[in-house]
């Protein structure tokens, strides 16, 4: 189940006078991130490779990914996706003013391959994808026996 909140945003972020609409924002506040150990255990159970060897390979991949990206290359893992760097800066008024000194950070970006990309069309929903509005769940949990929420506290983790 994928938890989301509703947030108001400008329809055009570059125009402060544009209309606002409600959009979903995925939230992980009520869930715990999967760990390297959990992933390794799952992979080892499916592949027959030991959990320790799987952890070692995943750690080696992490180191190689960083080294390759910092070496100026993107990384395309077939069936998984494309890793690349994105630079962050405050920008300058002219092209001539901008130098590498203006770059104040890097981010690792990822673009999923079509094999694992998620779509909310009917095929994904029939595969068991479900969305739950966290604010609605929390609201129902706050109701105190007035017939709407039955006084039952709903755990958004379930």
């Amino acid at each position: 189940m994928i938890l989301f909140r509703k947030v108001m945003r400008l329809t055009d972020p570059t125009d402060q006078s544009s209309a606002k609409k409600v959009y979903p924002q995925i939230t992980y506040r009520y869930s715990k991130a999967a760990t390297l150990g959990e992933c390794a255990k799952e992979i080892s159970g499916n592949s027959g490779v030991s959990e320790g060897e799987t952890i070692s390979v995943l750690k080696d991949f992490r180191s190689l990914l960083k080294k390759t990206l910092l070496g100026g290359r993107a990384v395309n893992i077939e069936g998984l996706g494309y890793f690349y760097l994105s630079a962050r800066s405050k920008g300058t008024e002219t092209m001539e003013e901008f130098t590498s000194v203006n770059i104040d950070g890097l981010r690792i970006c990822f673009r999923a391959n079509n094999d694992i990309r998620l779509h909310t069309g009917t095929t994904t929903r029939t595969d068991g994808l479900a969305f739950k509005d966290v604010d609605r769940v929390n609201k129902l949990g706050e109701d105190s026996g007035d017939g709407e929420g039955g006084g039952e506290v709903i755990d958004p983790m379930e």
Side-chain angles (χ1 to χ4, degrees), residues 59-69 75:
K59 284 182 176 180
D60 287 346
F61 172 72
R62 179 180 62 192
S63 298
L64 180 61
L65 176 66
K66 184 176 179 180
K67 177 183 174 185
T68 305
L69 290 170
V75 178

Side-chain angles (χ1 to χ4, degrees), residues 24-114:
Q25 179 179 18
I26 304 299
T27 179
Y28 296 98
R29 179 177 174 196
Y30 299 102
S31 64
K32 189 175 124 188
T35 65
L36 178 67
E38 289 170 332
C39 292
K41 188 174 187 174
E42 181 78 20
I43 291 170
S44 70
N46 292 333
S47 68
V49 177
S50 79
E51 194 174 327
E53 290 172 319
T54 304
I55 287 174
S56 179
V57 168
L58 290 172
K59 284 182 176 180
D60 287 346
F61 172 72
R62 179 180 62 192
S63 298
L64 180 61
L65 176 66
K66 184 176 179 180
K67 177 183 174 185
T68 305
L69 290 170
L70 292 175
R73 297 181 65 201
V75 178
N76 186 7
I77 305 298
E78 188 175 331
L80 180 63
Y82 190 76
F83 295 88
Y84 59 96
L85 291 178
S86 172
R88 202 175 47 226
S89 80
K90 291 187 173 106
T92 61
E93 296 296 319
T94 66
M95 295 282 230
E96 293 76 29
E97 287 180 76
F98 194 91
T99 67
S100 61
V101 173
N102 297 101
I103 298 173
D104 57 22
L106 293 174
R107 286 187 347 203
I108 296 176
C109 301
F110 174 74
R111 182 162 188 218
N113 183 281
N114 280 335

Side-chain angles (χ1 to χ4, degrees), residues 129-140:
L129 180 63
F131 295 98
K132 188 173 273 192
D133 181 346
V134 174
D135 294 324
R136 186 165 189 264
V137 170
N138 287 339
K139 175 85 171 117
L140 288 173

